[in-house]
Coordinates of all heavy atoms in Angstrom, one line a residue:
M8 N -24.6 -9.5 39.8 CA -23.2 -9.2 39.7 C -22.5 -10.4 39.1 O -21.5 -10.2 38.3 CB -22.7 -8.8 41.0 CG -21.3 -8.3 41.0 SD -21.3 -6.7 40.2 CE -19.8 -6.1 40.8
A9 N -22.9 -11.6 39.5 CA -22.3 -12.8 39.0 C -22.5 -12.9 37.5 O -21.5 -13.4 36.7 CB -22.8 -14.0 39.7
R10 N -23.7 -12.6 37.0 CA -23.9 -12.6 35.5 C -23.0 -11.7 34.8 O -22.5 -12.0 33.7 CB -25.3 -12.3 35.2 CG -26.3 -13.3 35.5 CD -27.7 -12.9 35.1 NE -28.6 -14.0 35.2 CZ -29.8 -14.0 34.9 NH1 -30.4 -12.8 34.5 NH2 -30.6 -15.0 35.0
L11 N -22.8 -10.5 35.3 CA -21.9 -9.5 34.7 C -20.5 -10.0 34.7 O -19.8 -9.9 33.7 CB -22.0 -8.2 35.5 CG -21.1 -7.1 34.9 CD1 -21.5 -6.7 33.5 CD2 -21.2 -5.8 35.8
N12 N -20.0 -10.7 35.7 CA -18.7 -11.2 35.8 C -18.5 -12.4 34.7 O -17.5 -12.5 34.0 CB -18.3 -11.8 37.2 CG -18.1 -10.6 38.1 OD1 -17.8 -9.5 37.7 ND2 -18.2 -10.9 39.4
V13 N -19.5 -13.2 34.6 CA -19.5 -14.3 33.6 C -19.5 -13.7 32.2 O -18.7 -14.2 31.4 CB -20.7 -15.3 33.8 CG1 -20.8 -16.3 32.7 CG2 -20.6 -16.0 35.2
L14 N -20.3 -12.7 32.0 CA -20.3 -12.1 30.7 C -19.0 -11.4 30.4 O -18.5 -11.5 29.2 CB -21.4 -11.0 30.7 CG -21.7 -10.3 29.4 CD1 -22.1 -11.3 28.3 CD2 -22.7 -9.2 29.5
L15 N -18.4 -10.8 31.3 CA -17.1 -10.1 31.1 C -16.0 -11.2 30.9 O -15.1 -11.0 30.0 CB -16.7 -9.3 32.3 CG -17.5 -8.0 32.4 CD1 -17.1 -7.2 33.7 CD2 -17.3 -7.1 31.2
V16 N -16.0 -12.3 31.6 CA -15.0 -13.4 31.3 C -15.2 -14.0 29.9 O -14.2 -14.2 29.2 CB -15.2 -14.5 32.4 CG1 -14.4 -15.7 32.0 CG2 -14.7 -14.0 33.8
V17 N -16.5 -14.2 29.5 CA -16.7 -14.7 28.2 C -16.2 -13.7 27.1 O -15.6 -14.1 26.1 CB -18.2 -15.0 28.0 CG1 -18.5 -15.3 26.5 CG2 -18.6 -16.2 28.9
A18 N -16.5 -12.4 27.3 CA -16.0 -11.4 26.4 C -14.5 -11.4 26.4 O -13.9 -11.2 25.3 CB -16.6 -10.0 26.8
L19 N -13.9 -11.5 27.5 CA -12.4 -11.5 27.6 C -11.8 -12.7 26.9 O -10.8 -12.6 26.1 CB -11.9 -11.6 29.1 CG -10.4 -11.6 29.3 CD1 -9.8 -10.3 28.8 CD2 -10.1 -11.8 30.8
L20 N -12.4 -13.9 27.0 CA -12.0 -15.1 26.3 C -12.1 -15.0 24.8 O -11.2 -15.3 24.0 CB -12.7 -16.4 26.8 CG -12.3 -16.8 28.2 CD1 -13.3 -18.0 28.7 CD2 -10.9 -17.3 28.3
I21 N -13.3 -14.5 24.4 CA -13.5 -14.2 23.0 C -12.5 -13.3 22.4 O -11.9 -13.5 21.3 CB -14.9 -13.7 22.7 CG1 -15.9 -14.9 23.0 CG2 -15.1 -13.2 21.3 CD1 -17.4 -14.4 22.9
S22 N -12.2 -12.2 23.2 CA -11.2 -11.2 22.7 C -9.8 -11.9 22.6 O -9.0 -11.6 21.7 CB -11.2 -10.1 23.7 OG -10.1 -9.2 23.4
C23 N -9.5 -12.7 23.6 CA -8.2 -13.4 23.6 C -8.0 -14.3 22.4 O -7.0 -14.3 21.7 CB -8.0 -14.2 24.9 SG -7.7 -13.2 26.3
F24 N -9.1 -15.1 22.1 CA -9.0 -16.0 21.0 C -8.9 -15.2 19.7 O -8.2 -15.6 18.8 CB -10.2 -17.0 21.0 CG -10.2 -18.0 22.0 CD1 -11.2 -18.2 22.9 CD2 -9.1 -18.9 22.1 CE1 -11.2 -19.2 23.8 CE2 -9.0 -19.9 23.0 CZ -10.1 -20.1 23.9
W25 N -9.7 -14.1 19.6 CA -9.6 -13.3 18.4 C -8.2 -12.7 18.2 O -7.7 -12.7 17.1 CB -10.6 -12.2 18.5 CG -10.6 -11.3 17.3 CD1 -11.2 -11.5 16.1 CD2 -10.0 -10.0 17.2 NE1 -10.9 -10.5 15.2 CE2 -10.2 -9.6 15.9 CE3 -9.3 -9.2 18.1 CZ2 -9.7 -8.3 15.4 CZ3 -8.8 -8.0 17.6 CH2 -9.0 -7.6 16.3
L26 N -7.6 -12.3 19.3 CA -6.2 -11.7 19.2 C -5.2 -12.8 18.8 O -4.3 -12.6 18.0 CB -5.8 -11.2 20.6 CG -4.4 -10.6 20.7 CD1 -4.3 -9.4 19.8 CD2 -4.1 -10.2 22.1
I27 N -5.3 -14.0 19.4 CA -4.4 -15.1 19.0 C -4.6 -15.4 17.5 O -3.6 -15.6 16.8 CB -4.7 -16.3 19.9 CG1 -4.2 -16.0 21.3 CG2 -4.0 -17.6 19.3 CD1 -4.7 -17.1 22.3
R28 N -5.9 -15.5 17.1 CA -6.1 -15.9 15.7 C -5.6 -14.8 14.7 O -5.0 -15.1 13.7 CB -7.6 -16.0 15.5 CG -8.1 -16.3 14.1 CD -7.6 -17.6 13.6 NE -8.0 -17.8 12.2 CZ -8.0 -18.9 11.5 NH1 -7.6 -20.0 12.2 NH2 -8.3 -18.9 10.3
S29 N -5.8 -13.5 15.1 CA -5.3 -12.5 14.2 C -3.8 -12.4 14.1 O -3.2 -12.1 13.1 CB -5.9 -11.1 14.6 OG -5.4 -10.7 15.8
S30 N -3.1 -12.7 15.3 CA -1.6 -12.7 15.2 C -1.1 -13.9 14.4 O -0.1 -13.7 13.7 CB -1.1 -12.7 16.7 OG -1.4 -13.9 17.3
Y31 N -1.8 -15.0 14.5 CA -1.4 -16.2 13.7 C -1.6 -15.9 12.2 O -0.7 -16.2 11.4 CB -2.3 -17.4 14.1 CG -2.1 -18.5 13.2 CD1 -1.0 -19.4 13.2 CD2 -3.1 -18.8 12.2 CE1 -0.8 -20.4 12.4 CE2 -3.0 -19.9 11.4 CZ -1.8 -20.7 11.4 OH -1.7 -21.7 10.6
D32 N -2.7 -15.3 11.9 CA -3.0 -14.9 10.5 C -1.9 -13.9 10.0 O -1.4 -14.0 8.9 CB -4.4 -14.3 10.3 CG -5.4 -15.4 10.4 OD1 -5.1 -16.6 10.3 OD2 -6.6 -15.0 10.6
S33 N -1.6 -13.0 10.8 CA -0.6 -12.0 10.5 C 0.8 -12.6 10.2 O 1.4 -12.3 9.2 CB -0.5 -10.9 11.6 OG 0.6 -10.0 11.3
R34 N 1.2 -13.5 11.1 CA 2.5 -14.2 10.9 C 2.5 -15.1 9.6 O 3.4 -15.1 8.9 CB 2.8 -15.1 12.1 CG 3.5 -14.3 13.2 CD 4.0 -15.3 14.3 NE 3.2 -14.9 15.5 CZ 2.4 -15.7 16.2 NH1 2.3 -17.0 15.8 NH2 1.8 -15.3 17.2
R35 N 1.3 -15.7 9.4 CA 1.2 -16.6 8.2 C 1.3 -15.8 6.9 O 2.0 -16.1 6.0 CB -0.1 -17.4 8.3 CG -0.3 -18.4 7.1 CD -1.5 -19.2 7.3 NE -2.7 -18.4 7.6 CZ -3.5 -17.8 6.6 NH1 -3.1 -17.8 5.4 NH2 -4.5 -17.1 7.0
L36 N 0.6 -14.6 6.9 CA 0.6 -13.7 5.7 C 2.0 -13.1 5.5 O 2.4 -13.0 4.4 CB -0.5 -12.6 5.9 CG -1.9 -13.1 5.8 CD1 -2.9 -12.0 6.1 CD2 -2.2 -13.7 4.4
Y37 N 2.7 -12.8 6.6 CA 4.0 -12.2 6.5 C 5.0 -13.3 5.9 O 5.8 -12.9 5.0 CB 4.5 -11.7 7.8 CG 5.8 -11.0 7.7 CD1 6.0 -9.8 7.2 CD2 7.0 -11.7 8.1 CE1 7.2 -9.2 7.1 CE2 8.2 -11.1 8.1 CZ 8.3 -9.8 7.5 OH 9.6 -9.2 7.4
D38 N 4.8 -14.5 6.3 CA 5.6 -15.6 5.8 C 5.4 -15.8 4.3 O 6.3 -15.9 3.5 CB 5.3 -16.9 6.6 CG 6.3 -18.0 6.2 OD1 7.5 -17.8 6.1 OD2 5.8 -19.1 5.9
Q39 N 4.1 -15.7 3.9 CA 3.8 -15.8 2.5 C 4.4 -14.7 1.7 O 4.9 -14.9 0.6 CB 2.3 -15.9 2.3 CG 1.6 -17.2 2.7 CD 0.1 -17.2 2.5 OE1 -0.5 -16.2 2.2 NE2 -0.5 -18.3 2.8
L40 N 4.3 -13.5 2.2 CA 4.9 -12.3 1.6 C 6.4 -12.5 1.4 O 6.9 -12.2 0.3 CB 4.5 -11.1 2.4 CG 5.2 -9.7 1.9 CD1 4.6 -9.4 0.5 CD2 5.0 -8.6 2.9
E41 N 7.1 -12.9 2.4 CA 8.5 -13.1 2.3 C 8.8 -14.2 1.2 O 9.8 -14.0 0.4 CB 9.0 -13.6 3.7 CG 10.1 -12.7 4.2 CD 10.6 -13.2 5.6 OE1 10.5 -14.4 5.9 OE2 11.0 -12.3 6.3
K42 N 8.1 -15.3 1.2 CA 8.3 -16.3 0.2 C 8.1 -15.7 -1.2 O 8.8 -16.0 -2.2 CB 7.4 -17.5 0.4 CG 7.8 -18.4 1.6 CD 6.9 -19.5 1.8 CE 7.3 -20.3 3.0 NZ 6.3 -21.4 3.2
A43 N 7.0 -14.9 -1.4 CA 6.7 -14.3 -2.7 C 7.8 -13.4 -3.1 O 8.2 -13.3 -4.3 CB 5.4 -13.6 -2.7
Q44 N 8.3 -12.6 -2.2 CA 9.4 -11.7 -2.5 C 10.7 -12.4 -2.9 O 11.4 -12.0 -3.8 CB 9.7 -10.7 -1.3 CG 8.6 -9.7 -1.1 CD 8.8 -8.8 0.1 OE1 9.5 -9.2 1.1 NE2 8.2 -7.7 0.2
N45 N 11.0 -13.5 -2.2 CA 12.2 -14.3 -2.6 C 12.0 -14.9 -4.0 O 12.9 -14.9 -4.7 CB 12.4 -15.4 -1.5 CG 12.9 -14.9 -0.2 OD1 13.5 -13.8 -0.2 ND2 12.7 -15.7 0.8
Q46 N 10.8 -15.4 -4.2 CA 10.5 -16.0 -5.6 C 10.6 -14.9 -6.6 O 11.2 -15.1 -7.7 CB 9.2 -16.6 -5.6 CG 8.9 -17.3 -6.9 CD 7.5 -17.9 -6.9 OE1 6.6 -17.6 -6.1 NE2 7.3 -18.9 -7.8
E47 N 10.2 -13.7 -6.3 CA 10.3 -12.6 -7.3 C 11.7 -12.3 -7.6 O 12.1 -12.1 -8.7 CB 9.6 -11.3 -6.7 CG 9.7 -10.1 -7.6 CD 9.3 -8.8 -7.0 OE1 9.2 -8.8 -5.7 OE2 9.2 -7.8 -7.7
H48 N 12.6 -12.2 -6.5 CA 14.0 -12.0 -6.7 C 14.6 -13.0 -7.6 O 15.4 -12.7 -8.5 CB 14.6 -11.9 -5.3 CG 16.1 -11.5 -5.3 ND1 16.9 -11.9 -6.3 CD2 16.8 -10.8 -4.5 CE1 18.2 -11.4 -6.1 NE2 18.1 -10.7 -5.0
E49 N 14.3 -14.3 -7.3 CA 14.9 -15.4 -8.1 C 14.5 -15.3 -9.6 O 15.3 -15.5 -10.5 CB 14.5 -16.7 -7.5 CG 15.1 -17.1 -6.2 CD 14.5 -18.3 -5.6 OE1 13.7 -19.0 -6.2 OE2 14.9 -18.6 -4.4
L50 N 13.2 -15.0 -9.8 CA 12.7 -14.9 -11.2 C 13.3 -13.7 -11.9 O 13.6 -13.8 -13.1 CB 11.2 -14.8 -11.2 CG 10.4 -16.1 -10.8 CD1 8.9 -15.8 -10.7 CD2 10.7 -17.2 -11.8
Q51 N 13.5 -12.6 -11.2 CA 14.2 -11.4 -11.7 C 15.6 -11.8 -12.1 O 16.0 -11.4 -13.2 CB 14.2 -10.3 -10.7 CG 14.7 -9.0 -11.3 CD 13.7 -8.0 -11.4 OE1 12.6 -8.1 -10.8 NE2 13.9 -7.0 -12.2
S52 N 16.3 -12.5 -11.3 CA 17.7 -12.9 -11.6 C 17.7 -13.8 -12.8 O 18.6 -13.6 -13.7 CB 18.3 -13.6 -10.4 OG 18.4 -12.7 -9.3
E53 N 16.8 -14.7 -12.8 CA 16.8 -15.7 -13.9 C 16.4 -15.0 -15.2 O 17.0 -15.2 -16.3 CB 15.8 -16.8 -13.7 CG 15.7 -17.8 -14.8 CD 14.7 -19.0 -14.5 OE1 14.2 -19.0 -13.4 OE2 14.6 -19.8 -15.3
G54 N 15.5 -14.0 -15.2 CA 15.2 -13.2 -16.4 C 16.3 -12.4 -16.9 O 16.6 -12.4 -18.1
E55 N 17.1 -11.8 -16.0 CA 18.3 -11.1 -16.4 C 19.3 -12.0 -17.0 O 20.0 -11.7 -18.0 CB 18.9 -10.3 -15.2 CG 18.1 -9.2 -14.7 CD 18.5 -8.6 -13.4 OE1 19.6 -9.0 -12.9 OE2 17.9 -7.6 -12.9
R56 N 19.5 -13.2 -16.4 CA 20.4 -14.2 -17.0 C 20.0 -14.6 -18.4 O 20.8 -14.7 -19.3 CB 20.6 -15.4 -16.1 CG 21.6 -16.4 -16.5 CD 21.6 -17.7 -15.7 NE 20.3 -18.3 -15.6 CZ 19.8 -19.1 -16.6 NH1 20.5 -19.3 -17.7 NH2 18.6 -19.7 -16.5
L57 N 18.7 -14.8 -18.5 CA 18.2 -15.3 -19.9 C 18.4 -14.2 -20.9 O 18.6 -14.4 -22.1 CB 16.7 -15.7 -19.7 CG 16.5 -17.0 -19.0 CD1 15.0 -17.2 -18.8 CD2 17.1 -18.2 -19.7
Q58 N 18.2 -12.9 -20.5 CA 18.4 -11.8 -21.4 C 19.9 -11.8 -21.9 O 20.2 -11.5 -23.1 CB 18.0 -10.4 -20.8 CG 16.6 -10.2 -20.6 CD 15.9 -10.0 -22.0 OE1 16.5 -9.6 -22.9 NE2 14.6 -10.3 -22.0
L59 N 20.8 -12.0 -20.9 CA 22.2 -12.0 -21.3 C 22.5 -13.2 -22.2 O 23.3 -13.0 -23.2 CB 23.1 -12.1 -20.0 CG 23.2 -10.9 -19.2 CD1 23.9 -11.2 -17.9 CD2 23.9 -9.8 -20.0
D60 N 21.9 -14.3 -22.0 CA 22.1 -15.5 -22.9 C 21.6 -15.2 -24.2 O 22.2 -15.6 -25.3 CB 21.4 -16.7 -22.3 CG 22.1 -17.3 -21.1 OD1 23.3 -16.9 -20.9 OD2 21.5 -18.2 -20.4
K61 N 20.4 -14.6 -24.3 CA 19.8 -14.2 -25.6 C 20.7 -13.3 -26.4 O 20.9 -13.5 -27.6 CB 18.4 -13.6 -25.3 CG 17.7 -13.2 -26.6 CD 16.4 -12.5 -26.2 CE 15.7 -11.9 -27.3 NZ 14.4 -11.2 -26.9
R62 N 21.2 -12.3 -25.7 CA 22.1 -11.3 -26.4 C 23.4 -12.0 -26.9 O 23.9 -11.8 -27.9 CB 22.5 -10.2 -25.5 CG 21.5 -9.1 -25.4 CD 21.9 -7.9 -24.6 NE 20.9 -7.5 -23.7 CZ 21.0 -7.4 -22.4 NH1 22.1 -7.6 -21.8 NH2 19.9 -7.0 -21.7
A63 N 23.9 -13.0 -26.1 CA 25.1 -13.7 -26.4 C 24.8 -14.6 -27.6 O 25.7 -14.8 -28.5 CB 25.6 -14.5 -25.3
Q64 N 23.6 -15.2 -27.7 CA 23.3 -16.1 -28.8 C 23.1 -15.4 -30.1 O 23.1 -15.9 -31.2 CB 22.1 -16.9 -28.4 CG 22.2 -17.8 -27.3 CD 23.2 -19.0 -27.6 OE1 23.2 -19.5 -28.7 NE2 23.9 -19.4 -26.6
A65 N 22.7 -14.1 -30.0 CA 22.3 -13.3 -31.2 C 23.4 -12.4 -31.8 O 23.2 -11.5 -32.5 CB 21.1 -12.5 -30.9
T66 N 24.7 -12.7 -31.4 CA 25.7 -11.9 -32.0 C 25.9 -12.1 -33.5 O 25.6 -13.3 -34.0 CB 27.1 -12.2 -31.3 OG1 27.4 -13.6 -31.5 CG2 27.1 -11.9 -29.8
P67 N 26.2 -11.1 -34.3 CA 26.2 -11.3 -35.7 C 27.2 -12.4 -36.1 O 26.9 -13.1 -37.1 CB 26.7 -9.9 -36.2 CG 26.3 -9.0 -35.1 CD 26.4 -9.7 -33.9
L68 N 28.3 -12.5 -35.5 CA 29.3 -13.5 -35.8 C 28.8 -14.9 -35.6 O 28.9 -15.8 -36.5 CB 30.6 -13.3 -35.0 CG 31.8 -14.1 -35.4 CD1 32.2 -13.6 -36.9 CD2 33.0 -13.8 -34.5
R69 N 28.1 -15.1 -34.5 CA 27.5 -16.5 -34.3 C 26.4 -16.8 -35.3 O 26.2 -17.9 -35.7 CB 26.9 -16.5 -32.8 CG 26.4 -17.9 -32.5 CD 26.1 -18.0 -31.0 NE 25.8 -19.3 -30.6 CZ 24.7 -20.0 -30.9 NH1 23.8 -19.4 -31.6 NH2 24.5 -21.2 -30.5
V70 N 25.5 -15.8 -35.6 CA 24.5 -16.0 -36.5 C 25.0 -16.4 -37.9 O 24.5 -17.3 -38.6 CB 23.5 -14.7 -36.6 CG1 22.6 -14.8 -37.8 CG2 22.8 -14.5 -35.3
E71 N 26.1 -15.6 -38.3 CA 26.7 -15.9 -39.6 C 27.3 -17.3 -39.6 O 27.2 -18.1 -40.6 CB 27.8 -14.9 -39.9 CG 28.4 -15.1 -41.3 CD 29.4 -14.0 -41.6 OE1 29.3 -12.9 -41.0 OE2 30.2 -14.2 -42.5
K72 N 28.0 -17.7 -38.5 CA 28.6 -19.1 -38.4 C 27.5 -20.1 -38.5 O 27.6 -21.1 -39.2 CB 29.3 -19.2 -37.1 CG 30.0 -20.5 -36.9 CD 30.7 -20.6 -35.5 CE 31.2 -22.0 -35.3 NZ 31.7 -22.2 -33.9
L73 N 26.4 -20.0 -37.8 CA 25.3 -20.9 -37.9 C 24.7 -21.0 -39.3 O 24.3 -22.1 -39.8 CB 24.2 -20.6 -36.8 CG 24.5 -20.9 -35.4 CD1 23.5 -20.4 -34.5 CD2 24.7 -22.4 -35.2
A74 N 24.5 -19.9 -39.9 CA 24.0 -19.8 -41.3 C 24.9 -20.6 -42.2 O 24.4 -21.3 -43.1 CB 23.8 -18.4 -41.7
R75 N 26.2 -20.5 -42.1 CA 27.1 -21.2 -43.0 C 27.1 -22.7 -42.7 O 27.0 -23.5 -43.6 CB 28.5 -20.7 -42.8 CG 28.7 -19.3 -43.4 CD 30.2 -18.9 -43.2 NE 30.4 -17.5 -43.4 CZ 30.7 -17.0 -44.6 NH1 30.9 -17.8 -45.6 NH2 30.9 -15.7 -44.7
E76 N 27.2 -23.0 -41.4 CA 27.3 -24.5 -41.1 C 26.0 -25.2 -41.1 O 25.9 -26.3 -41.8 CB 27.9 -24.6 -39.6 CG 29.3 -24.1 -39.5 CD 29.8 -24.1 -38.1 OE1 29.0 -24.5 -37.2 OE2 30.9 -23.8 -37.8
K77 N 24.9 -24.7 -40.6 CA 23.7 -25.5 -40.5 C 22.8 -25.3 -41.7 O 22.2 -26.3 -42.1 CB 22.9 -25.1 -39.2 CG 23.7 -25.3 -37.9 CD 23.0 -26.1 -37.0 CE 23.9 -26.3 -35.8 NZ 23.4 -27.2 -34.9
L78 N 22.8 -24.1 -42.2 CA 21.9 -23.8 -43.3 C 22.6 -23.8 -44.7 O 22.0 -23.6 -45.7 CB 21.2 -22.5 -43.1 CG 20.3 -22.3 -41.8 CD1 19.8 -20.9 -41.7 CD2 19.2 -23.3 -41.8
R79 N 23.9 -24.0 -44.6 CA 24.8 -24.0 -45.8 C 24.6 -22.7 -46.7 O 24.5 -22.8 -47.9 CB 24.5 -25.2 -46.6 CG 24.8 -26.5 -45.9 CD 24.6 -27.7 -46.8 NE 24.6 -28.9 -45.9 CZ 23.8 -29.9 -46.2 NH1 23.1 -30.0 -47.3 NH2 23.8 -30.9 -45.4
M80 N 24.4 -21.6 -46.0 CA 24.3 -20.3 -46.7 C 25.7 -19.8 -47.0 O 26.6 -20.0 -46.3 CB 23.5 -19.3 -45.9 CG 22.1 -19.8 -45.6 SD 21.2 -18.6 -44.5 CE 20.8 -17.3 -45.7
L81 N 25.8 -19.0 -48.1 CA 27.0 -18.4 -48.5 C 26.9 -16.9 -48.3 O 25.9 -16.3 -48.5 CB 27.4 -18.7 -49.9 CG 27.5 -20.2 -50.2 CD1 27.8 -20.4 -51.7 CD2 28.7 -20.8 -49.5
G82 N 28.1 -16.3 -48.1 CA 28.1 -14.8 -48.0 C 27.9 -14.2 -49.4 O 28.3 -14.8 -50.4
A83 N 27.4 -13.0 -49.4 CA 27.3 -12.3 -50.7 C 28.6 -11.9 -51.2 O 29.4 -11.2 -50.5 CB 26.3 -11.1 -50.5
S84 N 28.9 -12.3 -52.4 CA 30.2 -11.9 -53.1 C 29.9 -11.5 -54.5 O 28.9 -11.9 -55.1 CB 31.2 -13.0 -53.0 OG 30.8 -14.1 -53.9
P85 N 30.7 -10.6 -55.1 CA 30.4 -10.2 -56.5 C 30.4 -11.4 -57.5 O 29.7 -11.3 -58.4 CB 31.6 -9.2 -56.8 CG 32.0 -8.8 -55.5 CD 31.8 -9.9 -54.5
A86 N 31.2 -12.4 -57.2 CA 31.2 -13.6 -58.1 C 29.9 -14.4 -58.1 O 29.5 -14.9 -59.1 CB 32.4 -14.5 -57.7
A87 N 29.2 -14.4 -56.9 CA 28.0 -15.2 -56.8 C 26.7 -14.3 -57.0 O 25.6 -14.8 -56.8 CB 28.0 -15.8 -55.4
T88 N 26.9 -13.0 -57.3 CA 25.8 -12.1 -57.4 C 25.3 -12.0 -58.8 O 26.1 -11.8 -59.7 CB 26.1 -10.7 -56.8 OG1 26.6 -10.9 -55.5 CG2 24.9 -9.8 -56.8
Q89 N 24.0 -12.1 -59.0 CA 23.4 -11.9 -60.3 C 22.7 -10.6 -60.3 O 21.8 -10.4 -59.5 CB 22.5 -13.1 -60.7 CG 23.2 -14.4 -60.8 CD 22.3 -15.5 -61.2 OE1 21.1 -15.4 -61.3 NE2 22.8 -16.7 -61.3
Y90 N 23.0 -9.8 -61.3 CA 22.3 -8.5 -61.4 C 21.2 -8.5 -62.4 O 21.4 -9.1 -63.5 CB 23.3 -7.4 -61.7 CG 24.4 -7.2 -60.6 CD1 25.6 -7.8 -60.7 CD2 24.1 -6.5 -59.5 CE1 26.6 -7.7 -59.7 CE2 25.1 -6.3 -58.5 CZ 26.3 -6.9 -58.6 OH 27.2 -6.8 -57.7
V91 N 20.1 -7.9 -62.1 CA 19.0 -7.9 -63.0 C 18.8 -6.5 -63.4 O 18.7 -5.6 -62.6 CB 17.7 -8.5 -62.4 CG1 16.5 -8.4 -63.3 CG2 18.0 -9.9 -61.9
S92 N 18.7 -6.2 -64.7 CA 18.5 -4.8 -65.1 C 17.0 -4.5 -65.1 O 16.1 -5.4 -65.1 CB 19.0 -4.6 -66.6 OG 18.3 -5.4 -67.5
A93 N 16.7 -3.2 -65.1 CA 15.3 -2.8 -65.0 C 14.5 -3.2 -66.3 O 13.4 -3.6 -66.2 CB 15.2 -1.3 -64.8
A94 N 15.2 -3.1 -67.4 CA 14.5 -3.5 -68.7 C 14.2 -5.0 -68.7 O 13.1 -5.4 -69.1 CB 15.4 -3.2 -69.9
A95 N 15.1 -5.8 -68.2 CA 14.8 -7.2 -68.2 C 13.7 -7.6 -67.2 O 12.9 -8.5 -67.5 CB 16.1 -8.0 -67.8
S96 N 13.6 -6.9 -66.1 CA 12.6 -7.2 -65.2 C 11.2 -6.7 -65.7 O 10.2 -7.3 -65.5 CB 12.8 -6.5 -63.8 OG 12.8 -5.1 -64.0
R97 N 11.2 -5.7 -66.5 CA 9.9 -5.2 -67.2 C 9.4 -6.3 -68.2 O 8.2 -6.5 -68.3 CB 10.1 -3.9 -67.8 CG 10.1 -2.7 -66.8 CD 10.0 -1.4 -67.5 NE 10.8 -0.5 -66.7 CZ 11.7 0.3 -67.1 NH1 12.1 0.3 -68.4 NH2 12.4 1.1 -66.3
E98 N 10.4 -6.8 -68.9 CA 10.0 -7.9 -69.9 C 9.4 -9.1 -69.2 O 8.5 -9.7 -69.7 CB 11.2 -8.3 -70.7 CG 11.7 -7.2 -71.7 CD 13.0 -7.6 -72.4 OE1 13.3 -8.8 -72.3 OE2 13.6 -6.7 -73.0
E99 N 10.0 -9.5 -68.1 CA 9.5 -10.6 -67.3 C 8.1 -10.4 -66.8 O 7.2 -11.2 -66.8 CB 10.4 -10.9 -66.1 CG 11.8 -11.4 -66.5 CD 11.8 -12.8 -66.8 OE1 11.0 -13.6 -66.2 OE2 12.6 -13.2 -67.6
V100 N 7.8 -9.1 -66.4 CA 6.5 -8.8 -65.8 C 5.5 -8.8 -66.9 O 4.3 -9.2 -66.7 CB 6.6 -7.4 -65.1 CG1 5.2 -7.0 -64.7 CG2 7.5 -7.5 -63.9
S101 N 5.8 -8.3 -68.1 CA 4.8 -8.2 -69.2 C 4.5 -9.6 -69.8 O 3.5 -9.7 -70.5 CB 5.4 -7.2 -70.3 OG 6.5 -7.8 -70.9
K102 N 5.3 -10.6 -69.6 CA 5.0 -11.9 -70.2 C 3.9 -12.6 -69.5 O 3.3 -12.7 -68.7 CB 6.2 -12.8 -70.1 CG 7.3 -12.4 -71.1 CD 8.4 -13.3 -71.0 CE 9.5 -12.9 -72.0 NZ 10.6 -13.8 -72.0

């Protein structure tokens, strides 16, 4: 009977340690999950902010202003436009 009691006590202790370990692992994994969800939320917010910045940077007025100032491009106007006729372009190709 004493052997059975010792065996049951050992089984009980093993069961207790296993329960403690599994609850610790559960808490640790839940904490990691919470951190990952917070990081996902932050990255999602940053992605949305970057999309808004991208849309703001690509407005036609801003692109035209940068083209004029930085690239020294000019807008198309009839005075600066050179027209090529179809006959002239055929002569160029045949040469």
